[in-house]
């Protein structure tokens, strides 16, 4: 599975044999069983993830209610908002499928960036790309009606409907489960 | 005003006299009058901004309606989602106040990063910090009722209520202007 990481990096930079060896040696690819909680509310976070295969969900417990805020799938990075800081997380990260992911930590990152400076440039480019995508998704969400949000999901991430239960999809779309059922019925018609 | 940039950078890294000189020489601080449109839908974007003083609003024209998606103020970076790419913007950027900002472009960035590698590390750290803030804001937005969103605004960015008209604030909060009026009346009571 280290090969998957090398394959991904090779889309953007030349991966030298030394870098490939360092990736394999770091043993940073791990497997997590479905239902594994990677981060809990109140915990510090010293790990970030790059999903090779599987799905990680972020959710908050707000007044006892489970509120899904994001689903991360293949080739997406999951960097907790408090990653590497001495601040407790406000939310949870859970594998909703068996998940294979590269697992980073601040020390490993610093070591790899120092050894392979081109990784620093790549990380900056990827961070900027993720940032741009987040901004666009947030804007789209803000401007869309609940029905438009569901239609966008059907268009952009139809796989999620097979991977996650509907009550999680509903809160991810910022709507009540009953409203989602109504929207789905209307669309089928 | 170059001093403001140096002061900001000095919070994070040691700014050498050489770096300070390069910043002044690049003449990258510019002034924009209120109502200046920095980017239009359909245009390519080769400029990013770091606001020293003022306020920049991003908005979409969706079915002829003006939808505000973000307000950027002092010490915030504005990087268009299509910055440095050959893709037309889907939205507008407008100064809603006289604005003083550092203006970057891909060539200047590459040149400065090559000359002062510590800027690359800093840029990565700042991009990650912005990303974390975006994720947290999006999650909060998703989980909040319209009234909660308004209360959060009062708590976190009360200055915006003095700086932007209410119809822009309403669409920024993803609610109708009439609903915002009702919420405001309820809260005053």
């Amino acid at each position: 599975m280290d090969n998957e990481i090398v394959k991904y990096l090779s889309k953007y930079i030349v991966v030298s044999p030394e870098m490939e060896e360092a990736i394999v040696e770091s043993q940073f690819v791990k497997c997590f069983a479905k239902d594994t909680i990677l981060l809990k509310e109140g915990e510090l976070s010293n790990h970030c993830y790059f999903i090779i295969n599987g799905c990680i969900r972020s959710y908050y417990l707000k007044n006892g209610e489970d509120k899904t805020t994001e689903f991360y799938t293949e080739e997406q990075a999951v960097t907790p908002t408090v990653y590497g800081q001495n601040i407790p997380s406000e939310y949870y990260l859970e594998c909703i499928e068996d998940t294979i992911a590269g697992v980073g930590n601040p020390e490993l990152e610093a070591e790899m960036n120092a050894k392979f400076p081109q990784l620093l440039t790549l990380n900056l480019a990827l961070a900027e790309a993720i940032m741009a995508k987040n901004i666009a998704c947030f804007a789209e969400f803000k401007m869309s009606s609940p029905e438009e949000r569901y239609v966008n999901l059907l268009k952009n991430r139809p796989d999620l409907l097979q991977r996650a239960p509907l009550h999680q999809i509903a809160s991810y779309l910022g709507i009540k489960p009953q409203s989602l059922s109504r929207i789905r019925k209307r669309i089928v018609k």
Side-chain angles (χ1 to χ4, degrees), chain A residues 106-125:
Chain A
E107 297 73 36
L108 178 65
E109 262 191 77
E111 189 192 316
M112 292 291 278
N113 286 339
K115 242 190 238 170
F116 308 105
Q118 66 270 45
L119 277 182
L120 198 61
T121 314
L122 175 65
N123 280 338
L124 180 60

Side-chain angles (χ1 to χ4, degrees), chain A residues 17-106:
Chain A
E18 292 75 27
M19 198 191 291
E20 191 167 342
E21 203 187 308
I23 288 169
V24 175
E25 269 182 11
S26 72
Q27 299 188 302
F28 91 131
V29 174
K30 313 263 185 229
C31 300
F32 303 98
K34 182 173 186 295
D35 299 332
T36 302
I37 302 284
L38 299 171
L39 179 66
K40 281 185 186 162
E41 182 185 343
E43 282 183 355
L44 304 184
S45 158
N46 229 6
H47 294 109
C48 60
Y49 305 87
F50 178 82
I51 303 179
I52 296 169
N53 209 287
C55 184
I56 296 175
R57 170 176 87 101
S58 66
Y59 66 97
Y60 288 70
L61 287 184
K62 194 184 169 187
N63 309 325
E65 258 187 280
D66 176 318
K67 301 268 193 183
T68 298
T69 49
E70 197 50 83
F71 295 104
Y72 300 91
T73 54
E74 285 75 18
E75 295 210 355
Q76 281 194 293
V78 187
T79 306
T81 52
V82 296
Y83 170 65
Q85 298 171 64
N86 207 17
I87 302 172
S89 174
E90 294 188 349
Y91 60 85
Y92 295 75
L93 289 175
E94 174 197 29
C95 300
I96 65 165
E97 296 175 354
D98 291 340
T99 297
I100 303 168
V103 183
N105 62 60

Side-chain angles (χ1 to χ4, degrees), chain A residues 153-166:
Chain A
L153 183 77
L154 281 178
K155 201 175 67 185
N156 301 323
R157 303 187 74 183
D159 60 304
L160 287 186
L161 287 162
Q162 316 303 325
R163 302 174 86 164
L166 277 180

Side-chain angles (χ1 to χ4, degrees), chain A residues 112-173:
Chain A
M112 292 291 278
N113 286 339
K115 242 190 238 170
F116 308 105
Q118 66 270 45
L119 277 182
L120 198 61
T121 314
L122 175 65
N123 280 338
L124 180 60
L126 293 178
E128 286 175 343
I130 293 172
M131 202 159 66
K133 207 177 154 196
N134 285 348
I135 290 173
C137 285
F138 193 2
E140 185 174 277
F141 189 93
K142 240 180 217 186
M143 292 190 295
S144 303
S145 67
E147 179 151 341
E148 285 170 329
R149 285 182 211 148
Y150 180 69
V151 171
N152 286 336
L153 183 77
L154 281 178
K155 201 175 67 185
N156 301 323
R157 303 187 74 183
D159 60 304
L160 287 186
L161 287 162
Q162 316 303 325
R163 302 174 86 164
L166 277 180
H167 66 274
Q168 290 178 5
I169 300 275
S171 69
Y172 169 67
L173 295 175

